[in-house]
Amino acid sequence: PNVGKSSLINSLKRSRACGVGATPGVTRCLQAVQLDRHIQLLDCPGVVMETGTPPAAAPLRGALDPQRLRDPLGPAAAILRRCPPEQVGGW
């Protein structure tokens, strides 16, 4: 999700053929866009494969809109665990 599929199609089409947004979930269903007489592109929602990781990691993969999180502390803690301490400390 949120890697620019719809934006790329809009750029190739040179018009606003697909809705775009900064948060995941703007594209809700499959959409066919005719680029020219011979090329048709398909825009689809992003697919997030289940990885067995805890639900706190879903926002880190772009699978959840950060504004809709019930508890932002889980994902924030996951980000901090991935950062070297010298990059986080010393604000």
Side-chain angles (χ1 to χ4, degrees):
N2 252 33
V3 296
K5 296 179 293 293
S6 300
S7 296
L8 177 63
I9 291 173
N10 286 343
S11 179
L12 292 170
K13 182 76 175 168
R14 295 187 180 152
S15 69
R16 187 177 166 92
C18 304
V20 297
T23 57
V26 173
T27 304
R28 300 210 179 268
C29 60
L30 187 69
Q31 176 183 355
V33 176
Q34 197 70 38
L35 190 58
D36 65 18
R37 204 171 59 160
H38 302 288
I39 299 174
Q40 185 178 50
L41 302 174
L42 297 176
D43 189 22
C44 64
V47 176
V48 178
M49 304 303 282
E50 180 59 43
T51 62
T53 57
L60 303 180
R61 294 192 317 267
L64 293 176
D65 179 1
Q67 311 304 336
R68 300 181 73 190
L69 289 175
R70 289 184 185 158
D71 178 23
L73 295 180
I79 291 170
L80 291 174
R81 281 193 298 275
R82 294 177 182 200
C83 295
E86 59 273 4
Q87 286 184 341
V88 179
W91 290 57

